[in-house]
Amino acid sequence: MGLRILSEKERQKNIDDNESNLIAQLQGVSKKFKSTKNESLHDINLEVYQEDFLSILGSSGCGKTTILKMMCGLIKSTAGKINWPTSNFQNSSENPANLSFVFQEPNLLPWMNVYDNIKLPLKIYKENSYKADENIYDIIKLVGLEGFEEYYPRQLSGGMSMRVSIARALVTQPKVLLMDEPFSALDETRRFDLSQEILKIKKEKKLTVVYVTHSIYESVFLSNRIYVMQSNPGKIFEEFDFSNQEKPEDYRFTPQFFEQTKIVSDSLKRAQNAE
Amino acid sequence: MQNNKIHSLLVIIILFLAWEISFHLLNLKWYLLPPPSMILVSILNNAHLLFLSLLTTLKIAIVALILSVIVSTSFSIVFYFSKFIERSLTPITVILQVTPIIAIAPLISIWVDSSEIATLICAFLVAFFPLLANTIAGFKSTEKKHLELLRLYGANKYQILRFVVIPNALPYFLSGLKISSGLALIGAIVGEFVIGPISGHSGLAYRIIESGYQLDIPKMFGAVFLISLSGIMLFNLVRLISYLILRKWHSSYQQVD
C-alpha cells in the first residue's frame, strides 16, 4: 500500500532524509490581500523535492493558485518565507529560466501566431541578454503542434491552445514547471491525453512539477505527493506521499487507483467539514 | 457582403431617381432645389475649380489626421510611463475638447498668419481628442493575465509596451481613427468657414460660401457632394487600414464559413 497520510513527525523525517533533494520549501507562508478582510492563506508549510510531481488539491477559492504565484514571484507573501536551498531552481535575473508557469487558461497573445507565442519568452530573454537556446521546433514537435505554426489563437481549439501554452512554458527549458489547473477547461478525453503527455514530458526532461487542481482523479493519477487544502483561510490539511509506489501502465483502471482516489476524496471531504 | 453593397447602391440610385422625377413632376424651382442631373452638370462645368478645392480640403484633413495620430500616440506612451504627467495633462485635453471649435477659431486666425495653418490647427484640435481618448482606453484595457505572463519572464516596462500594451490597444486606436477621420474633415470645413478662404487655393467650404454669394445653388450642392464623397473616402481608407492590421487575429474580422 503506497499511499500514506504523513504525520508531522514523518514529514520532518522526510525533510531530513531528502535534504539534498529539497528544491523549495515554504515555511509558515501567509498571504492577506489588501482587498479582503481575512487571510487568504495561513501558515503554509510545503516542500518540493527534485523530480516530484506534486499536486495541491483543494476546492475553488482556497488559495491554491496564490501559492503557485508566490513561488514564481508574481505575488509577494505577507508572512513566512520561501526557501530555495540552491539557486539552481529559483528564477533570478541571472537565471530567469529555471521556473515556468502554465496558466489556468492558455493565456496566449491573440495578435501573435503559434510560433511567435511560443518564441516570446526567448525573445524577452535575448533582449535582456540572457542566453536562450532556440529549440522552438523541437518543442513544437514534442507537444504535437507541427503544421500549426502560422495559426492564430482564435483559430485553435481549447486543447490546441493549451498545447501552445505548454510549449511556451517548456521552450525556456525550465527545471520546475508550475501548473495552475491547466486542463480544467478541456473535455475528458483531451484532458486524459494531455495529462498522459505531461507525464511523458516530465520523465523525458526530468522536470519537477507543482500541479494545482481541484480534480481528485487527476491528482491521484499524476502525482507522487499530494497536499490537500482546506479553505477560509487556505491551509494545508493533509499530506499524502506515495513516492515508493510503482504506477502500472493502466494505473487509471486498476482497483488500486480507485482505492487511493477514495482515500484522497475522504480527506478532501474532511477538509471541507473542518472549515 | 457583396450583396449588401449592391443593396445600398440600389437604394441610393432610387433616391436620386425619385428626386429627379419629383423635381420635374412638382415643378420645383431649380435655384432652391436643383435636380441631381443639374448638380452633376455643374460639377462637371466647375470640375477644375472644385477638384482643386477638394484637394485643399482633403490635404488639410489628412495632415490633421496624421498629426492627431502622432500626437495622441506619443501622449499615450508618455502617459503609460508617467502617471504624474497623465494626471497633470488630462484636464487640459478635456478643456480643449469641450470648448467648441467655432469659439476658438477666430482666436487661432488672429494668432496665426497663414489661413492654411490656422484651418489645419482647427481640424487637428477636433480630430485629436477622440483618438487620444480611445488610445488611452486601449492602453488601459491591457489584460492582467497578459501582464503577469510578461512579468513572469522578466520583461521590462518597455517590452511590456511593445509585446502587449500596443497590440492590445490597436483595435481601440483604429476605431478612434474612424471617428477622427470624419471629424478632421468637419474641422477643416468649419475652420475655413470661420477663418476665411485658404491662401493658395481655397477649400470646399469657401466654394460653398462663394456659391451662396453668386446664388449658384447647383455648384453649392456640388461642393456639398464632394465633401460627403471625400468623407466617405477617408472613412473607407481608415477601414481598409484597420482591416489590413486586424484581420488576422481580431475577433471583429472572424471568418464566417
Side-chain angles (χ1 to χ4, degrees):
Chain A
M1 189 58 215
L3 176 79
R4 298 179 297 134
I5 300 180
L6 294 191
S7 65
E8 190 50 40
K9 228 185 198 164
E10 283 174 305
R11 203 180 134 246
Q12 199 50 52
K13 188 171 173 301
N14 229 349
I15 299 174
D16 296 339
D17 288 355
N18 294 303
E19 213 186 329
S20 58
N21 279 334
L22 188 68
I23 64 172
Q25 185 175 27
L26 275 69
Q27 288 181 314
V29 169
S30 299
K31 175 71 190 173
K32 195 194 147 308
F33 288 100
K34 276 184 194 132
S35 53
T36 53
K37 222 169 79 191
N38 300 318
E39 274 184 331
S40 302
L41 285 173
H42 179 71
D43 194 24
I44 302 287
N45 293 293
L46 175 155
E47 291 80 35
V48 184
Y49 299 106
Q50 204 165 343
E51 287 189 52
D52 255 349
F53 201 119
L54 178 89
S55 282
I56 301 175
L57 176 69
S59 49
S60 306
C62 70
K64 308 181 292 264
T65 304
T66 311
I67 295 181
L68 279 197
K69 287 190 174 168
M70 287 195 301
M71 286 184 73
C72 63
L74 281 175
I75 297 179
K76 284 203 168 61
S77 60
T78 30
K81 53 184 174 174
I82 302 176
N83 291 327
W84 301 85
T86 67
S87 61
N88 293 337
F89 297 95
Q90 186 185 7
N91 273 1
S92 61
S93 46
E94 300 88 56
N95 202 351
N98 282 332
L99 240 82
S100 238
F101 196 104
V102 178
F103 290 84
Q104 192 164 0
E105 36 183 338
N107 199 1
L108 306 178
L109 301 181
W111 44 85
M112 289 184 184
N113 62 22
V114 167
Y115 182 86
D116 288 334
N117 260 297
I118 296 175
K119 197 183 170 187
L120 179 71
L122 299 182
K123 232 177 182 169
I124 296 171
Y125 286 165
K126 251 188 219 151
E127 287 182 12
N128 297 346
S129 39
Y130 174 73
K131 275 207 177 69
D133 274 348
E134 289 261 2
N135 58 340
I136 301 171
Y137 282 107
D138 296 343
I139 297 290
I140 286 178
K141 216 166 146 191
L142 184 71
V143 297
L145 280 169
E146 295 130 304
F148 288 93
E149 292 89 345
E150 301 289 314
Y151 279 55
Y152 280 78
R154 69 163 189 203
Q155 297 168 293
L156 300 174
S157 67
M160 276 300 186
S161 304
M162 209 60 230
R163 278 169 199 272
V164 180
S165 177
I166 291 169
R168 182 180 56 197
L170 292 174
V171 82
T172 57
Q173 304 185 325
K175 294 173 184 149
V176 184
L177 196 58
L178 307 176
M179 303 183 87
D180 181 10
E181 302 193 41
F183 309 139
S184 55
L186 303 180
D187 61 59
E188 195 118 14
T189 353
R190 292 262 153 63
R191 196 145 60 180
F192 184 86
D193 290 348
L194 270 177
S195 48
Q196 204 85 295
E197 273 174 56
I198 283 293
L199 278 182
K200 203 187 81 199
I201 293 168
K202 176 200 177 291
K203 213 167 169 188
E204 202 180 307
K205 306 247 167 201
K206 296 193 183 330
L207 286 171
T208 306
V209 181
V210 182
Y211 191 91
V212 155
T213 181
H214 59 246
S215 161
I216 299 159
Y217 297 100
E218 222 167 61
S219 64
V220 173
F221 176 70
L222 288 169
S223 31
N224 63 322
R225 292 172 58 227
I226 300 177
Y227 285 96
V228 175
M229 285 188 68
Q230 66 180 93
S231 27
N232 294 323
K235 269 195 288 204
I236 302 286
F237 181 68
E238 270 168 354
E239 177 187 346
F240 292 93
D241 191 334
F242 33 122
S243 305
N244 50 6
Q245 152 192 337
E246 278 292 316
K247 286 180 180 174
E249 189 84 333
D250 59 346
Y251 178 53
R252 204 187 278 262
F253 305 106
T254 58
Q256 187 192 12
F257 175 71
F258 288 108
E259 213 174 287
Q260 299 184 335
T261 308
K262 177 147 186 3
I263 296 174
V264 176
S265 165
D266 285 343
S267 164
L268 191 62
K269 221 173 267 170
R270 273 182 283 123
Q272 279 164 356
N273 289 335
E275 280 163 22
Chain B
M1 189 70 187
Q2 214 50 44
N3 248 342
N4 273 343
K5 271 185 189 157
I6 293 170
H7 280 178
S8 39
L9 200 65
L10 265 180
V11 170
I12 291 173
I13 290 173
I14 291 171
L15 273 176
F16 275 111
L17 276 178
W19 180 355
E20 184 79 36
I21 292 167
S22 48
F23 173 82
H24 295 291
L25 285 182
L26 303 173
N27 251 334
L28 295 175
K29 305 276 181 286
W30 68 267
Y31 48 83
L32 291 181
L33 183 66
S37 56
M38 198 179 263
I39 295 169
L40 188 66
V41 169
S42 169
I43 291 179
L44 292 177
N45 283 342
N46 299 297
H48 185 67
L49 187 75
L50 287 176
F51 181 69
L52 287 179
S53 297
L54 176 68
L55 278 189
T56 304
T57 302
L58 263 184
K59 194 175 99 192
I60 286 178
I62 289 174
V63 173
L65 205 55
I66 291 170
L67 278 180
S68 334
V69 169
I70 294 169
V71 176
S72 62
T73 320
S74 343
F75 268 44
S76 303
I77 291 173
V78 170
F79 287 2
Y80 167 79
F81 282 108
S82 164
K83 288 274 157 292
F84 174 74
I85 297 180
E86 177 176 8
R87 272 197 302 270
S88 339
L89 284 190
T90 306
I92 298 174
T93 59
V94 175
I95 292 171
L96 274 178
Q97 162 68 8
V98 296
T99 314
I101 193 66
I102 296 198
I104 347 179
L107 261 182
I108 296 173
S109 89
I110 291 170
W111 288 336
V112 183
D113 274 340
S114 154
S115 55
E116 189 173 11
I117 292 176
T119 314
L120 180 65
I121 293 174
C122 283
F124 164 76
L125 284 178
V126 180
F128 160 69
F129 191 81
L131 199 54
L132 179 70
N134 267 40
T135 313
I136 289 177
F139 270 53
K140 296 206 163 173
S141 72
T142 313
E143 288 191 61
K144 197 178 151 230
K145 59 177 189 182
H146 291 157
L147 292 178
E148 276 187 339
L149 177 75
L150 277 259
R151 271 172 44 217
L152 191 70
Y153 294 113
N156 55 38
K157 223 174 165 189
Y158 170 64
Q159 286 167 324
I160 292 177
L161 178 74
R162 260 189 321 141
F163 291 131
V164 172
V165 177
I166 289 184
N168 182 73
L170 268 178
Y172 294 82
F173 167 81
L174 289 166
S175 70
L177 196 60
K178 277 182 196 164
I179 303 170
S180 291
S181 67
L183 286 177
L185 192 65
I186 294 177
I189 301 289
V190 171
E192 199 186 9
F193 262 121
V194 179
I195 290 161
I198 288 162
S199 41
H201 198 282
S202 40
L204 283 172
Y206 189 70
R207 290 291 156 246
I208 291 176
I209 298 175
E210 183 189 64
S211 321
Y213 292 151
Q214 301 164 346
L215 271 179
D216 188 349
I217 308 303
K219 191 169 117 194
M220 190 188 264
F221 268 93
V224 172
F225 273 2
L226 287 182
I227 291 172
S228 315
L229 200 70
S230 48
I232 293 167
M233 268 159 44
L234 264 182
F235 184 80
N236 278 322
L237 179 70
V238 174
R239 217 166 61 164
L240 179 71
I241 294 172
S242 179
Y243 169 76
L244 290 177
I245 295 178
L246 299 180
R247 79 195 142 130
K248 277 201 173 142
W249 62 269
H250 197 250
S251 51
S252 58
Y253 295 102
Q254 199 95 23
Q255 303 105 315
V256 184
D257 295 327

